[in-house]
Amino acid sequence: MSGPTVRDVAQVAQVSLATVDRVLNNRGGVSAKVVDRVKAAVAQTGYVRNLAAANLSRRRIYRFCFVVPSGDTGFVALLHAALAQEQQRLMEEQVLVQIVPTKAFDVEDQVAALRDLDCDAVAVMANEAPEINEQIAALKTSGIRVLSLVADLPSSGRDAYVGPDNVMAGRTAAEFMGRFTANRGTILMIAGSLAARDHSERLLGFRMVMQERYGGCTLLPAGQGADDAERVERIVLDAAKAQPLAGIYAIGAGNRGLVRAIGTLDPKPVTIVHELTPTSREALRTGTFDLVIDQDIRAGVIAAVRIMRDLTEATTPPADAGRIKLNIYSRENIQ
Amino acid sequence: MSGPTVRDVAQVAQVSLATVDRVLNNRGGVSAKVVDRVKAAVAQTGYVRNLAAANLSRRRIYRFCFVVPSGDTGFVALLHAALAQEQQRLMEEQVLVQIVPTKAFDVEDQVAALRDLDCDAVAVMANEAPEINEQIAALKTSGIRVLSLVADLPSSGRDAYVGPDNVMAGRTAAEFMGRFTANRGTILMIAGSLAARDHSERLLGFRMVMQERYGGCTLLPAGQGADDAERVERIVLDAAKAQPLAGIYAIGAGNRGLVRAIGTLDPKPVTIVHELTPTSREALRTGTFDLVIDQDIRAGVIAAVRIMRDLTEATTPPADAGRIKLNIYSRENIQ
DNA sequence: TTGTACGCGTTATCAT
DNA sequence: ATGATAACGCGTACAA
């Protein structure tokens, strides 16, 4: 009833369990002739290794860290929630995840967090800075696998990146901005910080498509809101004073300030933002925001853990395993 | 190094392993006093059950069936591909899935497929018909758990539904249709069959939002394309002869015919379709289609298996476990 | 009501 | 180079 086991393979190949194990996990020390015999037996019996038994036997515990900005609102709050939600399931699968909160935008703090890390692999969401890159290189030297989360750190030598294609995110925002504004009027773009790779990439993609296909719109220079509600609000109000705004593309956080500012504008600009948080969800519902481009951070966490497991097992993860889909939400498909 | 085990709990609680097991899986037959002692011990030691060991020990093999329409194009092809792709991973987790192909729209064939089923649970994608409902009831009587896939069968008494909210899907399509057409012009809607619940629900949702907010558009009576490319093409061409089309909402399959028809139209109508297939993907890229509303069928398959496992284990699955997200694709975020 | 002992399929440690 | 055998943590007959 149950599938074939190593015992069946051993019997067919006329060898012992230990030899089958050596071939299966290619540990070497087996004559070529026997290797072939075992492989043939595997094929013949249709053996597939039982992961549960394997994990049980070697009783390995995976220790993973998530080094992510602290914060109790917006996207990072969702990230922390997703992490918490996965904890239970992960514990049962013998993976221990430790969350190391850092100060957002504080490179020094982030480097410090990365310094004394004791684990098999780490997922890090951080700024793009030379110090960070150095520290990641040091981690890798000490045998810890590293992946970048949400914002890539391509020149750090990280083993993988888990997150969306942020250029694509920006391009998508532009496509809808062009259509919703009927290719007319002035557009305000607000990033958090252009030093954050995800933000600069989104801006890049947005500009590309607006130039390619929606030349009827005028782009203002990009504002930098530092992911801060007050600053975002100020930027919008200042820009709206100079000319009417047909559209706003908010690249980073600080959406509560955006909502406040838009409440004072007439006519209301077409507004496209990122990340489906309680704030943006409510703003969609009331019509303050027109579109939300979301990265499913829960899927991201799951993918990250899976990749970290693969990396520590030295099995190369699937090429697109880290690509998180971009979900587009309008007022009608919020869930 | 490894976490606490049942032995630790047993030792702390001063009972045997069997008693701990009885409490953990509440099988009854344990005095209240001892139950408390064990629970306290669990809390004290921080015990979490090792899933691998549990699955290994009880060596249960789950046998699930997918009764789905056959087909080598469009959405059902994606479904079959998703199923095939999951097979490997599922085998390792001790679940055997058997795919039972049926003739699309052929109720008699679908009933026959459901008749002689030997498994723990079945996921069925079928038409809404009394015979189907009866057969599902019979399955349930014989102890097989049943869930409806993609299109719900609410009056069948199925244990669960895995699929998107199709009313929401239709509403979403309308929201974008209204915006993309700037709330002007004539809209053609094409369903496959109004007897298919998913199609009628989408139509309902679409009509609701168009009436609520986009009254500037005129809706033609819904055509029925039977998910057939030729018929879909004919419907579009006939409608376009009578008046220029500002928009087309294609609810079901047959998108290759839609592409052909649109190629002859000038100006090109705003076109919104369902399911990201090779055809619709290409049409998005070339600008023939403007929006694709997709249900992630791979996520659906994964969710279905998980729910079937829960159902056969008699552990009630999470309330929203079967809700598949609707993903919106424009030419810029195809992946 | 409670406890004992064995088996699940794989890995790892010995010994040969 | 190969084999025998004892864990790993949990579930479950069976015994008491």
Side-chain angles (χ1 to χ4, degrees):
Chain A
M1 186 58 73
S2 180
T5 76
V6 273
R7 311 175 95 88
D8 301 316
V9 176
Q11 189 174 4
V12 171
Q14 303 279 26
V15 295
S16 74
L17 295 175
T19 300
V20 173
D21 174 65
R22 289 192 258 267
V23 175
L24 254 34
N25 302 301
N26 33 262
R27 308 187 203 277
V30 181
S31 66
K33 179 181 290 186
V34 174
V35 169
D36 288 342
R37 232 172 45 223
V38 171
K39 287 192 171 169
V42 168
Q44 183 188 324
T45 56
Y47 166 83
V48 279
R49 131 225 195 101
N50 182 328
L51 237 191
N55 284 337
L56 173 59
S57 178
R58 85 184 113 175
R59 86 183 137 163
R60 191 175 190 345
I61 286 200
Y62 302 98
R63 285 149 65 243
F64 299 147
C65 281
F66 279 79
V67 176
V68 293
S70 60
D72 52 358
T73 65
F75 177 68
V76 291
L78 291 183
L79 173 53
H80 285 282
L83 243 13
Q85 198 183 343
E86 283 300 299
Q87 286 274 24
Q88 175 64 16
R89 209 174 54 80
L90 290 176
M91 286 221 51
E92 291 196 344
E93 292 176 14
Q94 312 303 295
V95 352
L96 238 55
V97 331
Q98 185 191 349
I99 299 160
V100 182
T102 63
K103 291 182 189 134
F105 298 117
D106 185 335
V107 170
E108 203 172 326
D109 188 64
Q110 291 167 359
V111 170
L114 289 173
R115 199 181 306 280
D116 302 307
L117 236 38
D118 179 30
C119 55
D120 300 311
V122 55
V124 39
M125 174 177 172
N127 286 73
E128 198 165 22
E131 301 93 311
I132 302 268
N133 288 344
E134 275 174 35
Q135 189 54 44
I136 286 179
L139 283 174
K140 290 204 55 181
T141 306
S142 71
I144 299 180
R145 321 314 293 260
V146 183
L147 64 79
S148 51
L149 189 68
V150 176
D152 197 7
L153 302 166
S155 49
S156 68
R158 83 284 183 280
D159 295 287
Y161 162 60
V162 173
D165 179 334
N166 281 305
V167 175
M168 180 186 278
R171 295 185 62 98
T172 303
E175 170 68 14
F176 285 97
M177 182 63 83
R179 285 184 178 263
F180 283 7
T181 59
N183 193 12
R184 270 194 302 275
T186 302
I187 312 292
L188 173 64
M189 305 166 293
I190 313 168
S193 153
L194 295 183
R197 181 147 198 122
D198 46 347
H199 289 198
S200 57
E201 286 183 348
R202 288 173 185 174
L203 192 57
L204 176 72
F206 188 83
R207 281 206 174 105
M208 283 169 57
V209 170
M210 292 305 287
Q211 277 179 14
E212 284 172 18
R213 290 200 296 274
Y214 300 105
C217 291
T218 307
L219 300 186
L220 295 177
Q224 294 200 39
D227 285 4
D228 175 74
E230 272 67 39
R231 296 197 50 177
V232 169
E233 182 176 13
R234 167 67 45 108
I235 290 173
V236 173
L237 294 179
D238 286 353
K241 228 174 287 175
Q243 69 278 295
L245 296 176
I248 299 177
Y249 175 37
I251 291 169
N255 284 338
R256 295 200 312 286
L258 187 55
V259 170
R260 286 198 300 270
I262 292 177
T264 70
L265 301 186
D266 185 36
K268 190 196 82 58
V270 170
T271 306
I272 299 179
V273 309
H274 281 277
E275 318 311 350
L276 193 64
T277 62
T279 300
S280 63
R281 187 186 296 265
E282 178 61 19
L284 259 189
R285 187 161 278 137
T286 62
T288 304
F289 291 171
D290 297 273
L291 208 69
V292 171
I293 299 174
D294 183 64
Q295 52 181 316
D296 185 345
I297 190 56
R298 188 153 175 277
V301 167
I302 292 172
V305 170
R306 190 180 190 112
I307 290 178
M308 288 197 273
R309 196 167 52 63
D310 284 351
L311 286 174
T312 57
E313 290 288 8
T315 63
T316 41
D320 63 339
R323 199 41 104 247
I324 301 183
K325 277 216 291 263
L326 292 167
N327 293 321
I328 298 176
Y329 293 99
S330 72
R331 62 184 292 180
E332 290 301 345
N333 65 322
I334 333 175
Q335 19 197 356
Chain B
M1 186 58 74
S2 180
T5 77
V6 274
R7 311 175 94 87
D8 301 317
V9 176
Q11 188 174 5
V12 170
Q14 302 279 23
V15 294
S16 75
L17 296 172
T19 299
V20 173
D21 175 67
R22 289 183 183 81
V23 175
L24 253 35
N25 303 302
N26 31 261
R27 309 185 203 278
V30 182
S31 67
K33 179 180 290 189
V34 174
V35 169
D36 288 342
R37 234 176 39 226
V38 171
K39 286 191 171 169
V42 168
Q44 182 187 325
T45 56
Y47 167 82
V48 279
R49 166 250 268 310
N50 181 328
L51 237 194
N55 284 336
L56 176 60
S57 176
R58 86 181 117 189
R59 94 185 130 156
R60 189 169 185 358
I61 287 202
Y62 302 97
R63 287 149 65 243
F64 300 147
C65 281
F66 279 79
V67 176
V68 294
S70 61
D72 52 357
T73 64
F75 177 68
V76 290
L78 291 182
L79 173 52
H80 285 282
L83 243 14
Q85 198 184 343
E86 283 300 297
Q87 287 275 24
Q88 174 64 14
R89 210 175 53 81
L90 290 176
M91 285 219 51
E92 292 196 344
E93 291 176 15
Q94 315 300 299
V95 353
L96 239 55
V97 331
Q98 185 192 348
I99 299 161
V100 182
T102 64
K103 292 183 188 132
F105 297 118
D106 184 336
V107 170
E108 202 172 325
D109 188 65
Q110 291 167 359
V111 169
L114 289 173
R115 198 181 307 281
D116 302 306
L117 236 39
D118 178 29
C119 56
D120 301 310
V122 55
V124 38
M125 173 175 171
N127 286 73
E128 197 166 23
E131 301 93 312
I132 301 268
N133 288 342
E134 275 174 35
Q135 190 53 43
I136 287 179
L139 283 175
K140 290 204 57 181
T141 307
S142 71
I144 298 181
R145 322 312 294 259
V146 182
L147 62 79
S148 52
L149 189 67
V150 175
D152 198 6
L153 301 166
S155 49
S156 68
R158 83 286 182 282
D159 295 287
Y161 163 60
V162 173
D165 179 334
N166 281 306
V167 176
M168 180 185 278
R171 293 185 62 97
T172 304
E175 170 68 15
F176 286 96
M177 183 63 81
R179 285 185 178 262
F180 283 7
T181 59
N183 193 12
R184 269 193 303 274
T186 303
I187 312 290
L188 173 65
M189 304 168 293
I190 313 168
S193 155
L194 296 182
R197 180 145 200 123
D198 47 347
H199 289 199
S200 57
E201 286 182 349
R202 287 172 185 174
L203 192 56
L204 176 72
F206 188 83
R207 281 208 174 102
M208 283 169 58
V209 169
M210 292 306 287
Q211 276 177 15
E212 283 172 20
R213 290 201 295 277
Y214 300 104
C217 290
T218 307
L219 299 186
L220 296 177
Q224 295 201 39
D227 284 5
D228 175 75
E230 273 67 39
R231 296 197 52 175
V232 169
E233 182 177 10
R234 167 67 45 109
I235 290 174
V236 173
L237 294 179
D238 285 352
K241 230 173 287 176
Q243 69 277 292
L245 297 177
I248 299 177
Y249 175 38
I251 290 170
N255 284 337
R256 294 201 311 285
L258 187 54
V259 170
R260 284 199 298 270
I262 292 177
T264 71
L265 301 186
D266 185 35
K268 190 195 82 59
V270 170
T271 306
I272 299 181
V273 309
H274 281 277
E275 318 311 351
L276 193 65
T277 62
T279 299
S280 63
R281 187 186 296 265
E282 179 60 18
L284 258 190
R285 188 162 278 136
T286 61
T288 304
F289 291 172
D290 297 273
L291 209 69
V292 171
I293 299 174
D294 183 66
Q295 51 181 317
D296 186 344
I297 190 56
R298 188 154 175 277
V301 167
I302 293 172
V305 170
R306 190 181 190 112
I307 290 178
M308 288 197 273
R309 197 168 52 63
D310 284 352
L311 286 174
T312 56
E313 289 289 7
T315 62
T316 41
D320 63 339
R323 206 30 112 250
I324 301 183
K325 277 215 292 263
L326 292 167
N327 293 321
I328 299 175
Y329 293 98
S330 72
R331 61 184 293 178
E332 289 301 347
N333 66 322
I334 332 174
Q335 18 197 354

